[in-house]
Amino acid sequence: MGKTKRQQHRSRNEDREGSDGTRTTRLQELIREEVNLILRNEVRDPRLDGVVITMVELAGDGSCARLWFTAEGDDDKRDACEHIAGFLRTQLAESLGLKRTPELRFRRDPASRTFGRDEQESF
């Protein structure tokens, strides 16, 4: 027999929630790839040499994105990243064609610091 109205409604909501999760994951990956491309090809700030975005966390409403990065050297490159956030946001808006482009916030990836220390200690 057919599904009850409650079961049909639940199924539609589960499908919608699943597709939103997939959309968010896909959008996070697109933002990561695009920012890395921009950093490599369009940014001429020497303070940002060696900066690589490792992960993007997008807020549920899409208004804010936290970009986790690795960088060579011990100096903190977060200020340099924050300095070009507006430029990156404009470039993302153009290249991805988003209705609303998220605000970009940067965090140093703690795993990269640990990994770098482990590598140095082994030599």
Side-chain angles (χ1 to χ4, degrees):
M1 290 267 218
K3 292 181 178 180
T4 66
K5 287 191 181 234
R6 177 174 279 167
Q7 289 171 329
Q8 289 173 349
H9 181 69
R10 189 179 309 135
S11 293
R12 273 186 258 135
N13 284 341
E14 288 170 357
D15 289 344
R16 199 173 315 133
E17 288 171 4
S19 65
D20 283 350
T22 303
R23 181 185 183 279
T24 300
T25 303
R26 199 170 60 234
L27 185 55
Q28 290 174 157
E29 184 61 21
L30 279 172
I31 291 171
R32 187 188 68 78
E33 290 174 0
E34 192 64 29
V35 170
N36 279 327
L37 187 67
I38 294 167
L39 285 171
R40 258 192 329 268
N41 298 325
E42 297 181 35
V43 175
R44 302 286 182 243
D45 189 338
R47 297 176 299 168
L48 294 169
D49 288 345
V51 171
V52 177
I53 305 301
T54 57
M55 184 175 69
V56 175
E57 290 177 318
L58 195 59
D61 63 356
S63 64
C64 182
R66 182 175 291 150
L67 286 73
W68 296 89
F69 69 92
T70 61
E72 298 171 0
D74 290 333
D75 56 330
D76 191 15
K77 305 211 178 198
R78 184 174 169 193
D79 289 338
C81 290
E82 296 288 346
H83 182 73
I84 65 158
F87 172 74
L88 291 173
R89 192 173 180 201
T90 301
Q91 296 298 317
L92 283 174
E94 289 176 11
S95 62
L96 299 180
L98 301 173
K99 186 184 271 186
R100 281 185 283 149
T101 306
E103 177 184 337
L104 304 179
R105 297 185 182 159
F106 295 87
R107 299 288 180 267
R108 186 145 193 167
D109 190 341
S112 69
R113 285 186 173 180
T114 304
F115 179 73
R117 255 187 258 125
D118 290 346
E119 286 289 310
Q120 290 173 356
E121 290 173 3
S122 66
F123 289 110

